[in-house]
Amino acid sequence: MAPKGHDNEEMLQRNASKVRQVASAARSKVLTIDSMNERVKAVQYAVRGPIVIRAGEIENQLKAGSTEFPFDEVIKCNIGDAHAMQQKPITYLRQVVTGTCYPDLMDGENNNGVIPKDASEQARRILGSCGGGSVGAYSNSAGVPVIREDVAKYIEKRDGIGNVDPENIVLSTGASGSITTLLKMLVNGPQDGIMIPIPQYPLYSACLAEFNATVVPYYLNEETNWSLDLEELERAYSESDVKPKAICIINPGNPTGQVASYENIKKVLNFAYSRGLFVLADEVYQDNVYAEGAKFHSFRKVLLEMGEPYASEVELASFHSTSKGYMGECGFRSGYMEILNMDPDVKAQLVKLISSRLCPPVPGQAAMDVVVNPPVPGDDSYELYIQERTKVLADLKYKAKLVADTFNAIEGISCQPVQGAMYAFPNIKLPEKFIKEAGQKGLVPDAYYCTLLLEQTGICVVAGSGFRQKAGSWHFRTTILPPKEKMEKFAKLFTEFHLGILAKYE
């Protein structure tokens, strides 16, 4: 017979177990879909939306040996990720970054390193401005000092007017890091609006949804190659239920591929001055200009050339990135923002805000240094650098023309010339029967179209509705980044698909 104390111990254990079971049954998750931040649920980002998720699933099935699809690969045209589309990196940029990360590989007095002399010198200069001489150390919150200096010199040389104070340069985690920061500073709630172009890059609407602010849309004119009309800006401003505080411009355009003219930029700045708007100039595609006669003009340059009172009164933030251009270094997550005419007290708050995030990735900052301070004629690496840069941009120019010509040769599709950036945004005329079927399935017509395109051909693009568009019009965005042979395959498969849709539903 067990001792009485032993019985008491067993009884206590049983009771404790029952208490744990009851508590476990009664306890619910602290963070649920109902209790979470409503602003997060309002965020939409089509570039990585359901169609893209499905493309990933199909790709995994193909890799596992599935034969259920009428294609053997997914052609990813959904996102501007150049290296994922097999674009080769610029050798010199990688050499400099490698030198900063692993200095023993650099050329020096006592060794013949695998990294050439000019790249080694640039890497050492960067390391000399890093804490402890290492990119593993935190940098200043606004970036490594010598890199900010190089960005300032780059802007001065690019624009050929005015001086740039390195203190007005803020390095960031991609251009999106700075854009998000500035939007957060601009808005206080739904009573504040930001004018954004439609079609738009979803980052802007996503940020404004998160910050509980209001999108004030202005529509680009598709018929005149997605140009920006002053009358449309006035309409959008006047008809808004809230007071706009800023205007965003993407030049060259995403998703629309247009390049703004000098006069067009001038009109936008004049409008911003007259309406008292802060200007956000998203210029990450400034190296991507392909069309004859088209030229990139920075908003800063145009503003300064307009003279007073504009040059000293219009508040402007301009953004650039390593992710686009000929570099395509998305994974380094590096960008910069230049601020002009910002209130000193506001600038102090900006410094405080970015300080709370410590600093952007320092190896990424080193990559940005190469973008703004590349090899020049006479440097050991110049010939290879210019050869690689020229090839990337020439291939993009070829593919820009290929996709526009392909779309314009197909019944029911029209596409404006891809003057710049990395995308085409064709207009698709969908049969009424198709639109009705999409509605019955609970899908937006262009999203249904893109879903069928993926399932039947393996081509992954993003529905125009994810970028917003005029009511009753349907589009999709495709990148021009896959290799030439894949884009040529894309052209053939897409033509067959669309003609099949017309035959089935008309």
Side-chain angles (χ1 to χ4, degrees):
M1 186 172 183
K4 186 175 181 181
H6 183 73
D7 290 342
N8 288 339
E9 183 179 338
E10 284 187 348
M11 183 178 68
L12 288 172
Q13 289 177 346
R14 286 196 299 271
N15 289 340
S17 177
K18 289 180 181 179
V19 169
R20 285 195 297 270
Q21 289 173 4
V22 170
S24 176
R27 182 181 176 85
S28 61
K29 297 288 186 184
V30 174
L31 182 62
T32 68
I33 196 68
D34 293 324
S35 69
M36 70 176 288
N37 187 329
E38 289 293 327
R39 302 320 311 162
V40 174
K41 288 192 280 185
V43 171
Q44 300 287 332
Y45 192 68
V47 174
R48 292 179 182 251
I51 293 171
V52 181
I53 293 171
R54 175 59 182 151
E57 293 171 351
I58 293 173
E59 192 170 41
N60 288 336
Q61 288 177 257
L62 290 172
K63 287 178 180 177
S66 174
T67 57
E68 66 178 278
F69 301 100
F71 50 84
D72 58 6
E73 68 172 334
V74 174
I75 301 177
K76 297 176 184 175
C77 294
N78 60 289
I79 192 167
D81 188 353
H83 290 194
M85 298 299 101
Q86 301 172 28
Q87 179 179 307
K88 292 183 178 179
I90 300 297
T91 302
Y92 184 80
L93 185 149
R94 289 294 182 91
Q95 287 173 333
V96 172
V97 174
T98 300
T100 63
C101 294
Y102 192 7
D104 288 351
L105 295 177
M106 290 193 287
D107 179 72
E109 292 181 6
N110 300 319
N111 67 81
N112 294 314
V114 297
I115 298 174
K117 181 181 178 182
D118 50 356
S120 296
E121 288 175 350
Q122 186 160 351
R124 285 195 183 91
R125 179 171 175 270
I126 293 168
L127 290 174
S129 194
C130 293
S134 171
V135 291
Y138 290 130
S139 74
N140 180 292
S141 294
V144 174
V146 296
I147 299 176
R148 295 167 71 195
E149 291 170 11
D150 286 345
V151 172
K153 292 173 186 174
Y154 163 80
I155 295 171
E156 290 175 354
K157 182 179 179 181
R158 180 196 67 192
D159 293 345
I161 183 172
N163 297 318
V164 178
D165 185 349
E167 290 298 311
N168 289 333
I169 303 298
V170 177
L171 296 173
S172 58
T173 307
S176 56
S178 289
I179 292 168
T180 302
T181 296
L182 203 55
L183 287 173
K184 180 178 285 188
M185 295 184 68
L186 278 162
V187 298
N188 289 297
Q191 73 278 7
D192 291 332
I194 305 293
M195 298 182 70
I196 64 173
I198 304 298
Q200 56 116 13
Y201 174 49
L203 168 69
Y204 293 95
S205 57
C207 285
L208 294 178
E210 181 182 350
F211 302 151
N212 197 24
T214 300
V215 169
V216 179
Y218 65 89
Y219 290 88
L220 302 177
N221 189 336
E222 183 171 5
E223 288 69 33
T224 55
N225 202 19
W226 300 108
S227 65
L228 200 166
D229 297 332
L230 184 59
E231 295 77 12
E232 171 59 15
L233 293 181
E234 291 289 359
R235 181 208 62 77
Y237 184 94
S238 301
E239 294 181 6
S240 174
D241 294 329
V242 301
K243 177 174 173 51
K245 296 183 74 173
I247 181 170
C248 299
I249 306 95
I250 307 173
N251 178 49
N254 176 11
T256 43
Q258 83 284 5
V259 179
S261 69
Y262 187 96
E263 287 302 317
N264 209 212
I265 295 172
K266 205 170 170 182
K267 288 177 181 178
V268 174
L269 290 169
N270 201 4
F271 169 78
Y273 174 79
S274 66
R275 292 298 194 175
L277 297 172
F278 197 109
V279 178
L280 292 87
D282 184 338
E283 298 174 338
V284 301
Y285 299 99
Q286 59 189 261
D287 291 307
N288 300 103
V289 178
Y290 319 118
E292 295 299 325
K295 184 180 179 181
F296 170 75
H297 302 281
S298 76
F299 269 72
R300 173 191 175 274
K301 175 185 177 181
V302 177
L303 179 62
L304 295 183
E305 290 181 350
M306 287 172 71
E308 298 302 340
Y310 310 98
S312 62
E313 293 189 22
V314 173
E315 295 157 83
L316 170 68
S318 305
F319 309 95
H320 195 15
S321 170
T322 61
S323 300
K324 310 305 175 185
Y326 57 92
M327 309 79 66
E329 294 282 8
C330 301
F332 278 119
R333 305 305 303 127
S334 184
Y336 75 72
M337 167 175 67
E338 184 203 9
I339 53 175
L340 197 62
N341 299 327
M342 180 177 276
D343 182 291
D345 292 335
V346 174
K347 184 178 176 183
Q349 294 297 315
L350 170 63
V351 171
K352 178 185 74 174
L353 181 58
I354 63 173
S355 296
S356 69
R357 297 164 191 168
L358 298 177
C359 71
V362 180
Q365 295 184 49
M368 175 56 78
D369 192 66
V370 179
V371 174
V372 299
N373 186 23
V376 296
D379 288 350
D380 294 343
S381 300
Y382 176 75
E383 293 300 328
L384 178 59
Y385 162 77
I386 205 68
Q387 176 186 327
E388 292 175 340
R389 182 184 190 275
T390 300
K391 184 181 186 312
V392 169
L393 294 175
D395 285 350
L396 289 171
K397 182 177 181 177
Y398 168 84
K399 291 181 286 186
K401 186 175 187 304
L402 172 68
V403 295
D405 288 350
T406 297
F407 293 139
N408 286 322
I410 303 172
E411 178 187 354
I413 296 187
S414 61
C415 183
Q416 297 298 321
V418 181
Q419 294 182 316
M422 297 176 170
Y423 316 97
F425 199 67
N427 185 308
I428 45 178
K429 305 296 182 188
L430 296 173
E432 285 302 319
K433 288 181 182 178
F434 183 91
I435 293 173
K436 184 178 180 181
E437 183 173 298
Q440 291 170 345
K441 294 178 179 293
L443 293 172
V444 178
D446 55 10
Y448 183 42
Y449 182 93
C450 293
T451 300
L452 292 179
L453 178 65
L454 172 63
E455 297 287 348
Q456 294 179 23
T457 70
I459 294 172
C460 181
V461 296
V462 186
S465 47
F467 299 89
R468 303 195 182 192
Q469 55 197 346
K470 281 188 176 180
S473 69
W474 311 113
H475 301 78
F476 64 85
R477 188 192 80 166
T478 178
T479 73
I480 59 172
L481 289 175
K484 286 197 287 187
E485 60 275 13
K486 282 196 180 182
M487 289 308 296
E488 288 162 355
K489 180 179 178 181
F490 167 104
K492 181 177 181 295
L493 289 171
F494 179 83
T495 300
E496 293 171 353
F497 167 80
H498 186 75
L499 294 179
I501 290 290
L502 295 183
K504 180 178 178 180
Y505 291 94
E506 287 192 341

